[in-house]
């Protein structure tokens, strides 16, 4: 992470990805909303709020796939946009909204 707010955004994404893995294991499909993930893993009711400091979370879920994005209020080298889907890989981009073609964040 290149800044504290990036670190927080990435940490949030890891919690959501872990919760989705656990939810899928338990129910045989992914959660279709963040609210459905409450109590899966360490995902709490407070985390349903999409406003995450310098970032806004966006979640689109279906039973067989999902997309999670973190969009910074201002995209720059310290505030990349992030994208993840059901493969669990997080992608980042410092100039455009991140998508599945963006570089994977190490």
């Amino acid at each position: 992470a290149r800044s504290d707010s990036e670190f927080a955004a990435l940490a949030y994404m890891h919690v959501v990805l872990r919760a989705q893995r656990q939810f899928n294991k338990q129910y045989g499909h992914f959660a279709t909303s963040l609210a459905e993930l409450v109590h899966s893993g360490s995902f709490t009711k407070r985390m349903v709020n999409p406003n995450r400091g310098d970032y806004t979370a966006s979640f689109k879920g279906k039973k067989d796939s999902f997309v999670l994005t973190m969009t910074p209020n201002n995209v720059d080298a310290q505030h990349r946009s992030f994208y993840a889907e059901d493969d669990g890989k997080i992608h980042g981009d410092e100039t455009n909204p991140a998508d599945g073609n963006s570089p994977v964040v190490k």
Side-chain angles (χ1 to χ4, degrees):
R2 300 176 182 173
S3 63
D4 289 345
S5 43
E6 264 201 19
F7 181 83
L10 288 166
Y12 177 84
M13 291 186 85
H14 284 293
V15 170
V16 172
L17 292 170
R18 270 196 304 274
Q20 274 288 44
R21 256 195 318 270
Q22 188 173 330
F23 188 97
N24 190 25
K25 206 179 203 173
Q26 189 173 350
Y27 299 105
H29 64 87
F30 291 116
T32 55
S33 69
L34 289 175
E36 247 189 299
L37 281 177
V38 174
H39 305 310
S40 282
S42 53
F43 195 86
T44 64
K45 200 175 220 155
R46 196 175 55 80
M47 296 178 79
V48 174
N49 182 345
N51 298 318
R52 314 299 318 159
D54 291 342
Y55 282 82
T56 302
S58 168
F59 180 85
K60 292 181 181 71
K62 296 187 255 177
K63 288 187 185 279
D64 61 346
S65 66
F66 64 90
V67 170
L68 172 68
T69 59
M70 294 297 283
T71 307
N73 300 337
N74 300 297
V75 177
D76 59 36
Q78 307 302 310
H79 297 86
R80 292 172 292 174
S81 63
F82 298 108
Y83 171 95
E85 52 190 53
D86 39 284
D87 66 2
K89 292 188 181 103
I90 297 175
H91 302 265
D93 197 310
E94 65 185 50
T95 51
N96 298 302
D99 61 26
N101 298 317
S102 301
V104 172
V105 176
K106 297 282 183 267

